[in-house]
Amino acid sequence: MARRVSGGVIAAIGVVGVLLFCCVGGGLLAAGGMALQSRVSALGGACDGQPVPTAAAYTPGAPALATVMERGSMGGGWTAQFGRLRSEWASDTTETSAIVVCLDQEVERLAERCDYEGGMVANRYTYDQHVRIVVAQTAMPLIDTVIAGGDAPLCPDILTGEAGSSYRYDGPHVSEATATFEALLRPILGG
């Protein structure tokens, strides 16, 4: 004889199932991300001027694959930034990476301070990032430049608000300047 299971029991079983899926699935995703990091972690050395002999060879003018590494905050170590490159340029192993794109932390800069009557202030901020592109096997630099994210909106002619208030106008972040980033890499990676 079948018994009817109450809605509370079904809900409890569902909650336990969701918790197990999230915890185990989240752990698998984190482990997968750490596995990808470990497959390219040696490439951080190229950003510090140390050759990586196990990396792929680079031939100028031939298509090449690259890995993007970003310096941690406060001058820390290098971490791979997957998803910053087009898929046809991206590598996820040291052995297939011929080029390393080394990104320092993005820097926020005050572009302009606009003062208004009543003590109100509007600040315009821009962002830039130091980029070095190096050959992985030799750590030879190919490009050393700074990429700007873009201009911040102009301060308005009239600002309304409470006396003494401060307003902020941010320009685009460097990660949004994909056309500039790709134009820098195209001659090196091909395509």
PDB file of all heavy atoms in Angstrom, residues 43 46-49 98-102 132-143 188:
ATOM      1  N   LEU A  43      53.856  30.449 -16.390  1.00  0.00           N
ATOM      2  CA  LEU A  43      53.963  31.580 -17.309  1.00  0.00           C
ATOM      3  C   LEU A  43      54.117  32.911 -16.586  1.00  0.00           C
ATOM      4  O   LEU A  43      54.587  33.883 -17.169  1.00  0.00           O
ATOM      5  CB  LEU A  43      52.752  31.618 -18.246  1.00  0.00           C
ATOM      6  CG  LEU A  43      52.647  30.416 -19.189  1.00  0.00           C
ATOM      7  CD1 LEU A  43      51.306  30.433 -19.910  1.00  0.00           C
ATOM      8  CD2 LEU A  43      53.798  30.395 -20.174  1.00  0.00           C
ATOM      9  N   ALA A  46      57.551  34.489 -16.873  1.00  0.00           N
ATOM     10  CA  ALA A  46      57.893  35.285 -18.059  1.00  0.00           C
ATOM     11  C   ALA A  46      57.561  36.757 -17.826  1.00  0.00           C
ATOM     12  O   ALA A  46      58.273  37.641 -18.309  1.00  0.00           O
ATOM     13  CB  ALA A  46      57.167  34.755 -19.288  1.00  0.00           C
ATOM     14  N   CYS A  47      56.518  37.020 -17.070  1.00  0.00           N
ATOM     15  CA  CYS A  47      56.152  38.408 -16.754  1.00  0.00           C
ATOM     16  C   CYS A  47      57.201  39.065 -15.849  1.00  0.00           C
ATOM     17  O   CYS A  47      57.333  40.281 -15.837  1.00  0.00           O
ATOM     18  CB  CYS A  47      54.785  38.449 -16.090  1.00  0.00           C
ATOM     19  SG  CYS A  47      53.421  37.979 -17.190  1.00  0.00           S
ATOM     20  N   ASP A  48      57.931  38.239 -15.110  1.00  0.00           N
ATOM     21  CA  ASP A  48      58.996  38.744 -14.231  1.00  0.00           C
ATOM     22  C   ASP A  48      60.372  38.648 -14.887  1.00  0.00           C
ATOM     23  O   ASP A  48      61.392  38.764 -14.204  1.00  0.00           O
ATOM     24  CB  ASP A  48      58.989  37.972 -12.907  1.00  0.00           C
ATOM     25  CG  ASP A  48      57.784  38.305 -12.045  1.00  0.00           C
ATOM     26  OD1 ASP A  48      57.306  39.466 -12.111  1.00  0.00           O
ATOM     27  OD2 ASP A  48      57.314  37.421 -11.315  1.00  0.00           O
ATOM     28  N   GLY A  49      60.412  38.373 -16.202  1.00  0.00           N
ATOM     29  CA  GLY A  49      61.680  38.315 -16.923  1.00  0.00           C
ATOM     30  C   GLY A  49      62.389  36.983 -16.875  1.00  0.00           C
ATOM     31  O   GLY A  49      63.555  36.881 -17.241  1.00  0.00           O
ATOM     32  N   ALA A  98      52.733  30.537 -26.478  1.00  0.00           N
ATOM     33  CA  ALA A  98      53.984  31.105 -26.985  1.00  0.00           C
ATOM     34  C   ALA A  98      54.166  32.532 -26.481  1.00  0.00           C
ATOM     35  O   ALA A  98      55.275  33.026 -26.370  1.00  0.00           O
ATOM     36  CB  ALA A  98      53.991  31.076 -28.509  1.00  0.00           C
ATOM     37  N   ILE A  99      53.048  33.195 -26.195  1.00  0.00           N
ATOM     38  CA  ILE A  99      53.039  34.603 -25.793  1.00  0.00           C
ATOM     39  C   ILE A  99      52.352  34.727 -24.438  1.00  0.00           C
ATOM     40  O   ILE A  99      51.372  34.035 -24.155  1.00  0.00           O
ATOM     41  CB  ILE A  99      52.282  35.459 -26.833  1.00  0.00           C
ATOM     42  CG1 ILE A  99      52.964  35.379 -28.197  1.00  0.00           C
ATOM     43  CG2 ILE A  99      52.106  36.895 -26.381  1.00  0.00           C
ATOM     44  CD1 ILE A  99      54.360  35.978 -28.242  1.00  0.00           C
ATOM     45  N   VAL A 100      52.868  35.624 -23.613  1.00  0.00           N
ATOM     46  CA  VAL A 100      52.226  35.930 -22.334  1.00  0.00           C
ATOM     47  C   VAL A 100      51.899  37.423 -22.332  1.00  0.00           C
ATOM     48  O   VAL A 100      52.763  38.253 -22.621  1.00  0.00           O
ATOM     49  CB  VAL A 100      53.124  35.585 -21.133  1.00  0.00           C
ATOM     50  CG1 VAL A 100      52.386  35.849 -19.828  1.00  0.00           C
ATOM     51  CG2 VAL A 100      53.594  34.141 -21.200  1.00  0.00           C
ATOM     52  N   VAL A 101      50.648  37.724 -22.040  1.00  0.00           N
ATOM     53  CA  VAL A 101      50.200  39.108 -21.902  1.00  0.00           C
ATOM     54  C   VAL A 101      50.169  39.401 -20.409  1.00  0.00           C
ATOM     55  O   VAL A 101      49.394  38.802 -19.671  1.00  0.00           O
ATOM     56  CB  VAL A 101      48.798  39.312 -22.526  1.00  0.00           C
ATOM     57  CG1 VAL A 101      48.357  40.758 -22.375  1.00  0.00           C
ATOM     58  CG2 VAL A 101      48.780  38.868 -23.983  1.00  0.00           C
ATOM     59  N   CYS A 102      51.052  40.293 -19.971  1.00  0.00           N
ATOM     60  CA  CYS A 102      51.207  40.599 -18.546  1.00  0.00           C
ATOM     61  C   CYS A 102      50.494  41.910 -18.231  1.00  0.00           C
ATOM     62  O   CYS A 102      50.844  42.954 -18.776  1.00  0.00           O
ATOM     63  CB  CYS A 102      52.687  40.726 -18.201  1.00  0.00           C
ATOM     64  SG  CYS A 102      53.680  39.311 -18.733  1.00  0.00           S
ATOM     65  N   ARG A 132      52.372  44.456 -20.753  1.00  0.00           N
ATOM     66  CA  ARG A 132      53.596  43.982 -21.402  1.00  0.00           C
ATOM     67  C   ARG A 132      53.270  42.678 -22.101  1.00  0.00           C
ATOM     68  O   ARG A 132      52.603  41.810 -21.533  1.00  0.00           O
ATOM     69  CB  ARG A 132      54.709  43.752 -20.377  1.00  0.00           C
ATOM     70  CG  ARG A 132      55.356  45.051 -19.935  1.00  0.00           C
ATOM     71  CD  ARG A 132      56.388  44.872 -18.851  1.00  0.00           C
ATOM     72  NE  ARG A 132      55.736  44.374 -17.645  1.00  0.00           N
ATOM     73  CZ  ARG A 132      55.977  43.184 -17.107  1.00  0.00           C
ATOM     74  NH1 ARG A 132      56.856  42.372 -17.619  1.00  0.00           N
ATOM     75  NH2 ARG A 132      55.333  42.812 -16.015  1.00  0.00           N
ATOM     76  N   ILE A 133      53.742  42.553 -23.326  1.00  0.00           N
ATOM     77  CA  ILE A 133      53.557  41.318 -24.078  1.00  0.00           C
ATOM     78  C   ILE A 133      54.947  40.730 -24.274  1.00  0.00           C
ATOM     79  O   ILE A 133      55.842  41.396 -24.807  1.00  0.00           O
ATOM     80  CB  ILE A 133      52.853  41.579 -25.417  1.00  0.00           C
ATOM     81  CG1 ILE A 133      51.471  42.193 -25.146  1.00  0.00           C
ATOM     82  CG2 ILE A 133      52.728  40.290 -26.218  1.00  0.00           C
ATOM     83  CD1 ILE A 133      50.729  42.635 -26.371  1.00  0.00           C
ATOM     84  N   VAL A 134      55.131  39.490 -23.802  1.00  0.00           N
ATOM     85  CA  VAL A 134      56.452  38.862 -23.836  1.00  0.00           C
ATOM     86  C   VAL A 134      56.385  37.491 -24.498  1.00  0.00           C
ATOM     87  O   VAL A 134      55.341  36.829 -24.503  1.00  0.00           O
ATOM     88  CB  VAL A 134      57.054  38.725 -22.413  1.00  0.00           C
ATOM     89  CG1 VAL A 134      57.221  40.070 -21.749  1.00  0.00           C
ATOM     90  CG2 VAL A 134      56.232  37.811 -21.547  1.00  0.00           C
ATOM     91  N   VAL A 135      57.521  37.070 -25.053  1.00  0.00           N
ATOM     92  CA  VAL A 135      57.665  35.723 -25.583  1.00  0.00           C
ATOM     93  C   VAL A 135      57.872  34.801 -24.388  1.00  0.00           C
ATOM     94  O   VAL A 135      58.774  35.022 -23.579  1.00  0.00           O
ATOM     95  CB  VAL A 135      58.861  35.638 -26.560  1.00  0.00           C
ATOM     96  CG1 VAL A 135      59.057  34.206 -27.042  1.00  0.00           C
ATOM     97  CG2 VAL A 135      58.670  36.589 -27.730  1.00  0.00           C
ATOM     98  N   ALA A 136      57.055  33.789 -24.255  1.00  0.00           N
ATOM     99  CA  ALA A 136      57.082  32.934 -23.065  1.00  0.00           C
ATOM    100  C   ALA A 136      58.411  32.208 -22.890  1.00  0.00           C
ATOM    101  O   ALA A 136      58.971  32.202 -21.794  1.00  0.00           O
ATOM    102  CB  ALA A 136      55.936  31.930 -23.118  1.00  0.00           C
ATOM    103  N   GLN A 137      58.942  31.598 -23.952  1.00  0.00           N
ATOM    104  CA  GLN A 137      60.169  30.795 -23.820  1.00  0.00           C
ATOM    105  C   GLN A 137      61.382  31.620 -23.408  1.00  0.00           C
ATOM    106  O   GLN A 137      62.245  31.128 -22.696  1.00  0.00           O
ATOM    107  CB  GLN A 137      60.499  30.097 -25.148  1.00  0.00           C
ATOM    108  CG  GLN A 137      59.873  28.758 -25.310  1.00  0.00           C
ATOM    109  CD  GLN A 137      60.445  28.025 -26.527  1.00  0.00           C
ATOM    110  OE1 GLN A 137      61.194  28.550 -27.338  1.00  0.00           O
ATOM    111  NE2 GLN A 137      60.060  26.764 -26.637  1.00  0.00           N
ATOM    112  N   THR A 138      61.452  32.854 -23.874  1.00  0.00           N
ATOM    113  CA  THR A 138      62.652  33.668 -23.642  1.00  0.00           C
ATOM    114  C   THR A 138      62.432  34.838 -22.685  1.00  0.00           C
ATOM    115  O   THR A 138      63.398  35.470 -22.265  1.00  0.00           O
ATOM    116  CB  THR A 138      63.151  34.250 -24.975  1.00  0.00           C
ATOM    117  OG1 THR A 138      62.143  35.126 -25.500  1.00  0.00           O
ATOM    118  CG2 THR A 138      63.482  33.144 -25.967  1.00  0.00           C
ATOM    119  N   ALA A 139      61.183  35.159 -22.397  1.00  0.00           N
ATOM    120  CA  ALA A 139      60.797  36.329 -21.597  1.00  0.00           C
ATOM    121  C   ALA A 139      61.182  37.635 -22.295  1.00  0.00           C
ATOM    122  O   ALA A 139      61.233  38.689 -21.666  1.00  0.00           O
ATOM    123  CB  ALA A 139      61.363  36.275 -20.192  1.00  0.00           C
ATOM    124  N   MET A 140      61.432  37.580 -23.604  1.00  0.00           N
ATOM    125  CA  MET A 140      61.781  38.775 -24.372  1.00  0.00           C
ATOM    126  C   MET A 140      60.539  39.647 -24.546  1.00  0.00           C
ATOM    127  O   MET A 140      59.510  39.180 -25.035  1.00  0.00           O
ATOM    128  CB  MET A 140      62.326  38.392 -25.747  1.00  0.00           C
ATOM    129  CG  MET A 140      62.702  39.602 -26.596  1.00  0.00           C
ATOM    130  SD  MET A 140      63.295  39.126 -28.237  1.00  0.00           S
ATOM    131  CE  MET A 140      61.747  38.798 -29.061  1.00  0.00           C
ATOM    132  N   PRO A 141      60.624  40.922 -24.158  1.00  0.00           N
ATOM    133  CA  PRO A 141      59.465  41.813 -24.320  1.00  0.00           C
ATOM    134  C   PRO A 141      59.259  42.194 -25.781  1.00  0.00           C
ATOM    135  O   PRO A 141      60.214  42.502 -26.497  1.00  0.00           O
ATOM    136  CB  PRO A 141      59.820  43.027 -23.471  1.00  0.00           C
ATOM    137  CG  PRO A 141      61.301  42.973 -23.287  1.00  0.00           C
ATOM    138  CD  PRO A 141      61.733  41.561 -23.475  1.00  0.00           C
ATOM    139  N   LEU A 142      58.004  42.162 -26.216  1.00  0.00           N
ATOM    140  CA  LEU A 142      57.636  42.595 -27.560  1.00  0.00           C
ATOM    141  C   LEU A 142      56.950  43.959 -27.527  1.00  0.00           C
ATOM    142  O   LEU A 142      57.159  44.774 -28.410  1.00  0.00           O
ATOM    143  CB  LEU A 142      56.713  41.567 -28.226  1.00  0.00           C
ATOM    144  CG  LEU A 142      57.287  40.171 -28.422  1.00  0.00           C
ATOM    145  CD1 LEU A 142      56.212  39.231 -28.959  1.00  0.00           C
ATOM    146  CD2 LEU A 142      58.488  40.211 -29.358  1.00  0.00           C
ATOM    147  N   ILE A 143      56.128  44.166 -26.512  1.00  0.00           N
ATOM    148  CA  ILE A 143      55.390  45.430 -26.354  1.00  0.00           C
ATOM    149  C   ILE A 143      55.354  45.778 -24.876  1.00  0.00           C
ATOM    150  O   ILE A 143      55.149  44.913 -24.026  1.00  0.00           O
ATOM    151  CB  ILE A 143      53.948  45.318 -26.907  1.00  0.00           C
ATOM    152  CG1 ILE A 143      53.968  45.137 -28.430  1.00  0.00           C
ATOM    153  CG2 ILE A 143      53.118  46.536 -26.523  1.00  0.00           C
ATOM    154  CD1 ILE A 143      52.603  44.951 -29.050  1.00  0.00           C
ATOM    155  N   ILE A 188      50.829  40.296 -33.350  1.00  0.00           N
ATOM    156  CA  ILE A 188      51.657  39.275 -32.701  1.00  0.00           C
ATOM    157  C   ILE A 188      51.027  37.880 -32.802  1.00  0.00           C
ATOM    158  O   ILE A 188      51.704  36.900 -33.062  1.00  0.00           O
ATOM    159  CB  ILE A 188      51.889  39.637 -31.225  1.00  0.00           C
ATOM    160  CG1 ILE A 188      52.702  40.934 -31.158  1.00  0.00           C
ATOM    161  CG2 ILE A 188      52.581  38.521 -30.470  1.00  0.00           C
ATOM    162  CD1 ILE A 188      52.777  41.555 -29.797  1.00  0.00           C
TER     163      ILE A 188
END
